[in-house]
């Protein structure tokens, strides 16, 4: 019984060290930024948690709802008497809440843009407005140093927290527990409030005016940003600081998580958005923007990265998602419930993890050049590889295989100018590649030895041979220049080393104490 044919083994060269990691390649997929000019600095960007994940952009005296599909403005809410702040969309995507510089807080219906509720008790600018996980409650924080929880149906405050000594510019309600409220203030503190005790239960010192706060979904870890530093606190350990990071050069203005909460994004006035791995809080990627970044947000499906800048620029970057990723995410979201139709038909199309499956082997299809190698047609194998524009490494591997089989001359023999042209062009293109030079020089020598007698009969082959000669001469000249430069650098390094040694010896002699004989001679 004959053994199975082994297909061509492609040579593998050691990879050169590069700065591109899998993480960097992922974030570089956010391409083709669309830049929109707003009337003023973009203070807040917030994505809806409901599909199709539209987002609210707050700038100047209006809140605009952008479509995540067309990247165009769908709705414009401009019923503010002064500068608007913190436009936030409710989880169901139906309502939006925003404050303004007069202290007014309003809730709007996104569809009709009608004002549904108005809250007037703040007397200073309201920079924080958020919906609670309880859909009938909202959180507001103001420059009047108070944090308030409002009941939407009655338009009355449920709780008023007093304790900060300066402006409050950031805050949120815990994802895990709607009774816990987090706030950050310009008094350099981050406070955790509990609606059940009507007071502050924990205070953490950031050390700089706090611009943004975030909390992990389980509610155990808190992040705060202020000045150029990012700090991590462990709530379960009484607010103990875990990390202090200073990767930005200027003030950090915004924080946001990705969908899985495994990556943290920070926007800063140094015109950078940095991506952190929350396992060790190392920076895995950085994006440069043309102006100071005031706000940054990532869509819940991790396909849109939006940044607002101080000059009024709004940058929208989109990542093209493959169909496999969409199907995987849908499968995770659509978990099978017991008693449902999908529960009863499970396993009919795809085996469960606990099932025993019969392994089936698919017949392996050989490449065209492998099929010719299998029947020892070396010339056709080389032609197939050159004709289908394979990668250079595959062609080189095939030539190496032909040499091992002692079939190189057989593959090159009996060619006319038309069949010899692809090989000559390949040699002209790749003979100066350091990885392939030693092998391709041998192939060139064999080809010249076989076809020297017919030179001058085909203008095309004559031109390719002249190009090959010119390429080799240029490479030799370059190598000579390189050797000359290396020699000059070695002379400079040698001279520098001898000079530094001489200076060290001189300093040692001058700093050493004088000998007794020298002292007596000097005194006499």
């Amino acid at each position: 019984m004959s053994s199975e044919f082994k297909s061509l083994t492609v040579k593998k060269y050691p990879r050169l060290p590069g700065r591109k990691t899998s993480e960097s390649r992922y974030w570089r997929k956010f391409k083709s930024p669309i830049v929109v000019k707003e009337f003023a600095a973009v203070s807040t960007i917030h994505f809806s948690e409901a599909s199709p994940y539209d987002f609210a952009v707050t700038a100047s005296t209006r809140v605009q709802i952008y479509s995540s599909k067309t990247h165009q403005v769908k709705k414009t809410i401009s019923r503010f008497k002064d500068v608007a702040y913190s436009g936030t969309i409710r989880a169901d995507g139906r309502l939006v809440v925003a404050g303004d510089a007069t202290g007014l807080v309003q809730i709007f219906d996104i569809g009709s843009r009608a004002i549904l509720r108005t809250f007037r008790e703040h007397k200073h600018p309201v920079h924080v407005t958020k919906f609670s996980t309880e859909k009938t409650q909202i959180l507001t924080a103001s420059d009047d140093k108070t944090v308030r929880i409002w009941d939407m149906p009655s338009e009355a405050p449920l709780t008023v927290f007093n304790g900060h000594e300066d402006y409050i510019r950031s805050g949120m309600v815990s994802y895990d527990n709607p009774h816990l409220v987090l706030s950050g203030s310009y008094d350099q503190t981050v406070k955790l409030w509990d609606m059940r005790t009507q007071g502050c239960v924990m205070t953490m010192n950031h050390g700089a005016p706090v611009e943004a706060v975030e909390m992990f979904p389980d509610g155990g870890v808190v992040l705060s940003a202020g000045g150029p530093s990012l700090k991590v606190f462990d709530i379960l350990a009484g607010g103990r600081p875990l990390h202090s990071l200073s990767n930005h050069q200027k003030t950090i203005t915004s924080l946001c998580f990705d969908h899985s909460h495994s990556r943290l994004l920070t926007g800063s006035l140094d015109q950078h958005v940095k991506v952190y791995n929350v396992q060790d809080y190392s920076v895995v990627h950085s994006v440069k923007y043309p102006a100071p970044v005031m706000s940054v947000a990532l869509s819940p499906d991790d396909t849109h990265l939006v940044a607002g800048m101080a000059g009024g620029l709004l940058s929208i970057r989109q990542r093209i998602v493959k169909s496999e990723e969409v199907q995987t995410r849908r499968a995770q979201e659509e978990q099978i419930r017991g008693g449902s139709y999908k529960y009863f038909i499970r396993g009919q199309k795809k085996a469960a993890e606990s099932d025993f499956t019969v392994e089936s082997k698919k017949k392996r299809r050989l490449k065209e050049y492998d099929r010719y190698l299998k029947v020892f047609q070396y010339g056709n194998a080389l032609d197939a590889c050159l004709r289908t524009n394979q990668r250079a490494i595959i062609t080189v591997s095939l030539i190496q295989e032909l040499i091992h089989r002692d079939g190189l001359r057989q593959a090159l023999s009996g060619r006319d100018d038309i069949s010899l042209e692809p090989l000559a062009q390949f040699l002209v293109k790749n003979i100066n590649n350091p990885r392939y030079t030693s092998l391709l020089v041998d192939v060139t020598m064999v080809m010249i030895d076989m076809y020297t007698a017919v030179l001058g009969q085909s203008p095309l082959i004559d031109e390719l041979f002249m190009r090959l000669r010119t390429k080799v001469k240029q490479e030799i000249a370059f190598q000579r220049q390189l050797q000359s430069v290396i020699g000059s650098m070695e002379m400079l390094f040698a001279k520098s080393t001898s000079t530094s040694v001489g200076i060290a010896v001189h300093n040692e002699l001058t700093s050493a104490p004088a000998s007794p004989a020298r002292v007596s001679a000097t005194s006499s």
Side-chain angles (χ1 to χ4, degrees):
M1 184 177 179
S2 60
S3 61
E4 185 179 358
F5 174 76
K6 185 178 180 181
S7 59
L8 178 67
T9 303
V10 180
K11 296 183 66 175
K12 291 185 178 181
Y13 292 92
R15 286 189 176 183
L16 297 176
R19 299 179 64 184
K20 290 185 179 180
T21 61
S22 58
E23 190 84 27
S24 178
R25 285 192 294 270
Y26 172 83
W27 292 103
R28 287 179 186 274
K29 292 179 181 178
F30 287 88
K31 299 178 180 178
S32 305
I34 299 172
V35 179
V36 181
K37 185 69 173 70
E38 293 288 347
F39 290 100
V42 180
S43 60
T44 309
I45 301 169
H46 185 262
F47 275 92
S48 169
E49 296 180 15
S51 181
Y53 308 117
D54 295 335
F55 55 96
V57 175
T58 308
S60 186
T61 58
R62 61 186 184 178
V63 177
Q64 293 180 312
I65 310 299
Y66 279 79
S67 169
S68 61
K69 293 183 176 180
T70 63
H71 305 151
Q72 301 293 324
V73 177
K74 293 176 62 175
K75 301 287 183 179
T76 299
I77 302 172
S78 56
R79 303 177 69 172
F80 298 95
K81 297 180 181 179
D82 209 327
V83 178
Y85 298 111
S86 189
T88 305
I89 303 175
R90 198 167 71 172
D92 57 8
R94 296 181 178 180
L95 303 181
V96 61
V97 61
D100 64 17
T102 65
L104 189 66
V105 178
Q106 300 175 91
I107 297 178
F108 303 89
D109 178 80
I110 291 183
S112 63
R113 296 177 294 177
I115 301 175
L116 302 181
R117 293 289 186 273
T118 302
F119 308 92
R120 305 178 181 275
E121 292 198 15
H122 285 294
K123 304 304 180 184
H124 290 78
V126 179
H127 285 266
V128 181
T129 58
K130 300 284 181 67
F131 283 100
S132 172
T133 48
E134 296 285 344
K135 292 185 177 181
T136 59
Q137 298 176 6
I138 64 170
L139 161 72
T140 64
S142 167
D143 286 356
D144 61 10
K145 309 173 188 177
T146 63
V147 178
R148 298 172 187 260
I149 302 296
W150 303 82
D151 179 58
M152 289 171 52
S154 63
E155 297 186 7
L158 297 175
T159 307
V160 179
F161 297 116
N162 294 279
H164 281 296
E165 299 177 357
D166 208 333
Y167 300 156
I168 304 172
R169 294 297 172 88
S170 57
M172 63 175 294
V173 179
S174 171
Y175 303 106
D176 184 58
N177 187 346
H179 297 103
L180 297 180
V181 178
L182 190 69
S183 64
S185 168
Y186 277 10
D187 62 6
Q188 305 185 10
T189 63
V190 177
K191 291 184 180 292
L192 184 66
W193 313 87
D194 194 334
M195 295 176 59
R196 293 163 295 190
T197 62
Q198 300 287 314
C200 176
V201 294
M202 192 176 299
T203 300
M204 293 151 279
N205 185 15
H206 181 83
V210 180
E211 297 284 351
V213 294
E214 264 293 351
M215 184 184 293
F216 279 88
D218 59 359
V221 177
V222 166
L223 302 159
S224 64
S229 63
L230 171 70
K231 294 194 176 181
V232 185
F233 299 95
D234 186 356
I235 292 181
L236 301 179
R240 180 175 63 90
L242 297 177
H243 299 278
S244 181
L245 312 170
S246 298
N247 298 106
H248 285 282
Q249 303 300 318
K250 293 184 179 180
T251 300
I252 301 173
T253 56
S254 180
L255 299 174
C256 75
F257 284 111
D258 70 340
H259 173 74
S260 62
H261 289 82
S262 62
R263 298 294 181 269
L264 173 70
L265 282 73
T266 60
S268 169
L269 297 180
D270 62 6
Q271 305 181 13
H272 282 83
V273 170
K274 294 185 182 294
V275 183
Y276 294 82
N277 184 345
V278 298
Q279 290 184 349
D280 56 1
Y281 292 96
S282 60
V283 177
V284 295
H285 189 65
S286 180
V287 183
K288 180 73 163 60
Y289 285 91
V293 178
M294 300 294 294
S295 54
V296 64
L298 191 64
S299 62
D301 58 353
D302 295 338
T303 59
H304 287 77
L305 174 60
V306 184
M309 287 161 266
L313 295 178
L314 180 71
S315 172
I316 306 172
R317 295 172 181 256
Q318 184 176 6
R319 180 177 65 90
I320 304 301
V321 181
K322 295 182 179 180
S323 58
E324 294 85 356
E325 184 177 345
V326 175
Q327 293 175 0
T328 302
R329 177 160 291 182
R330 286 178 180 176
Q332 293 175 351
E333 294 176 354
E334 298 177 2
Q335 296 181 356
I336 300 177
R337 294 181 293 104
S340 64
Y341 173 73
K342 289 184 178 180
Y343 180 82
F344 287 104
I345 66 171
R346 71 192 189 282
Q348 295 183 12
K349 296 182 179 180
K350 186 178 180 181
E353 295 181 358
S354 58
D355 291 342
F356 291 99
T357 57
V358 178
E359 184 179 358
S360 60
K361 288 187 177 181
K362 292 184 178 180
K363 187 176 180 181
R364 185 179 54 178
R365 293 189 60 184
L366 297 176
K367 301 286 187 181
E368 186 179 3
Y369 52 82
D370 277 327
R371 292 200 297 269
Y372 285 121
L373 279 177
K374 186 177 181 179
V375 294
F376 307 105
Q377 297 181 12
Y378 300 144
N380 292 335
L382 183 59
D383 290 339
C385 197
L386 294 171
R387 182 176 62 251
T388 54
N389 294 324
Q390 299 288 340
R391 291 180 295 132
I393 184 62
I394 296 179
T395 305
V396 170
S397 301
L398 178 61
I399 293 174
Q400 187 73 57
E401 179 68 18
L402 293 175
I403 293 175
H404 289 164
R405 295 186 179 203
D406 199 17
L408 180 61
R409 282 187 172 272
Q410 179 184 341
L412 297 183
S413 61
R415 293 177 177 268
D416 55 11
D417 55 349
I418 296 177
S419 59
L420 191 61
E421 178 193 1
L423 178 61
Q425 286 183 343
F426 178 80
L427 294 174
V428 169
K429 183 178 179 181
N430 296 284
I431 196 168
N432 63 341
N433 190 322
R435 291 184 169 183
Y436 316 140
T437 297
S438 60
L439 178 65
L440 296 185
V441 165
D442 294 339
V443 177
T444 304
M445 296 300 293
V446 173
M447 185 180 68
I448 292 175
D449 182 49
M450 295 177 63
Y451 291 96
T452 302
V454 296
L455 287 178
Q457 298 181 11
S458 172
L460 177 60
I461 298 301
D462 293 346
E463 181 188 355
L464 288 172
F465 271 68
M466 290 301 297
R467 286 172 56 189
L468 184 59
R469 179 176 177 234
T470 304
K471 195 79 172 282
V472 172
K473 289 179 65 177
Q474 290 176 351
E475 183 65 21
I476 292 174
F478 174 73
Q479 292 294 334
R480 286 175 178 170
Q481 293 178 4
L482 189 61
Q483 291 295 330
S484 176
V485 172
I486 292 175
S488 301
M489 293 179 65
E490 288 178 350
M491 291 178 60
L492 291 174
F493 289 149
K495 186 175 181 181
S496 174
T497 303
S498 61
T499 303
S500 60
V501 171
I503 293 174
V505 172
H506 175 73
N507 293 337
E508 185 69 23
L509 292 175
T510 54
S511 61
S515 62
R518 186 175 177 182
V519 172
S520 60
T522 304
S523 60
S524 61

